[in-house]
Amino acid sequence: MTRSLLPLLALALSTVGCASQRLAGADLDRVRRPAFISRIEDGAGPKSFVFREDSAYGGKLKKLEPVEADRRLTVKLQQAVTRFEVSERLRVNTLSQLPREAPWAYTVDPARVASVLESFLVEEVPANAPDYDMVASLGADTVVEFVVQEYGMRSEKGHAGAFLRGYGRMFTLDGRSEVWRRPFEVDQVEAGAEHLDPFKVGKNPDLFRQAMSAMLDQVAAGFVKDLTPRDRKASPPVAAPPGPAAPDTVAPSWQAPPKPPEPELAPGELPDPDPE
């Protein structure tokens, strides 16, 4: 599944249009103390556009209205992965892959950033833009921010998949001058990835978590490439950053599959997937 996402990701990260801004090596050389922020916009998701926008499932749904089927699937997607895990996986996997050299070796402790923004170890990531002046009080001179604008599942002609949309940017706290911006949009349906059966997701929401993890990891890899421009002055590697090291990875929040199907469609459930 991961390999099938790569062509679309390369397209999404390189041709999204004039909103993109390449990070120049000279701009990165001026950064002394960056801080990383990752957040999800209000109403970003998870969302399901599977049944309302694709009539291919009509026979399977029978008396179940498409709007109600999407609502039930949305509940399953919420069980699969929290908003906190989505935003943190993008931040952690980007930060952990950056080289141990200036300025990345002197990144502000993520726990301190989360603490001043009152978002440490919470399930619901604040939707509104943070108070960046609070981050400046920690000694940061630059912010690297990742924003998820929309994510969930959709379908076309009976072929369903996960999608993810947002942007990354870097700006100075003194004057809010933006030196890097990269929108991203990953869509498994457009990429021709393997069909993510919504009825199987209804029984095992972890399938959606796996799809989201693969997409977030690929977006993070693209960000790492953007944030390590080749046209900068030579910077000696740093053995270890000052203070606590960045965490390795975000622990997945696995959810057990639902109980075996009953003869009648249980409240809040979707129909069973077709036999293999």
Side-chain angles (χ1 to χ4, degrees), residues 135-156:
V135 181
S137 68
L138 299 177
D141 64 347
T142 306
V143 166
V144 180
E145 182 179 46
F146 306 138
V147 181
V148 175
Q149 296 175 298
E150 192 174 36
Y151 69 102
M153 281 188 64
R154 73 179 196 91
S155 179
E156 288 183 5

Side-chain angles (χ1 to χ4, degrees), residues 14-244:
S14 60
T15 63
V16 256
C18 60
S20 300
Q21 180 176 345
R22 185 183 70 85
L23 176 63
D27 288 328
L28 186 58
D29 288 335
R30 286 190 285 268
V31 177
R32 294 292 177 265
R33 187 78 164 160
F36 279 70
I37 297 174
S38 189
R39 61 188 178 88
I40 298 181
E41 288 187 349
D42 188 25
K47 300 177 180 179
S48 172
F49 300 110
V50 172
F51 303 109
R52 285 170 291 179
E53 298 187 357
D54 192 346
S55 60
Y57 303 98
K60 185 73 173 179
L61 294 177
K62 297 180 180 178
K63 295 182 179 180
L64 185 62
E65 291 294 329
V67 172
E68 173 61 16
D70 269 328
R71 187 196 67 80
R72 295 186 183 189
L73 182 57
T74 297
V75 173
K76 301 298 182 180
L77 303 185
Q78 291 170 342
Q79 295 173 358
V81 58
T82 66
R83 288 163 56 94
F84 179 72
E85 183 182 349
V86 170
S87 64
E88 278 296 274
R89 189 177 189 101
L90 190 54
R91 180 191 65 79
V92 169
N93 284 3
T94 301
L95 182 55
S96 63
Q97 295 180 67
L98 289 171
R100 285 294 165 224
E101 60 184 27
W104 310 125
Y106 305 109
T107 299
V108 178
D109 182 2
R112 296 184 64 200
V113 175
S115 180
V116 299
L117 298 178
E118 299 181 348
S119 60
F120 186 49
L121 294 180
V122 296
E123 289 293 310
E124 193 69 16
V125 178
N128 297 326
D131 183 352
Y132 301 112
D133 290 333
M134 297 292 292
V135 181
S137 68
L138 299 177
D141 64 347
T142 306
V143 166
V144 180
E145 182 179 46
F146 306 138
V147 181
V148 175
Q149 296 175 298
E150 192 174 36
Y151 69 102
M153 281 188 64
R154 73 179 196 91
S155 179
E156 288 183 5
K157 299 179 181 180
H159 187 96
F163 66 89
L164 174 69
R165 181 175 64 86
Y167 63 90
R169 65 171 182 155
M170 178 190 292
F171 60 93
T172 62
L173 287 169
D174 181 12
R176 302 291 197 269
S177 176
E178 198 167 278
V179 297
W180 169 74
R181 175 178 283 264
R182 176 66 68 185
F184 63 85
E185 183 170 0
V186 189
D187 188 319
Q188 288 187 327
V189 176
E190 289 188 7
E194 183 180 353
H195 174 55
L196 184 60
D197 190 330
F199 301 110
K200 289 184 178 180
V201 173
K203 302 304 177 184
N204 182 11
D206 188 61
L207 295 173
F208 176 69
R209 185 194 66 78
Q210 294 173 22
M212 283 295 299
S213 296
M215 293 191 298
L216 289 165
D217 292 351
Q218 292 301 320
V219 172
F223 283 168
V224 170
K225 184 177 180 180
D226 272 13
L227 295 173
T228 52
R230 297 181 178 180
D231 61 338
R232 63 177 309 199
K233 295 178 180 179
S235 178
V238 179

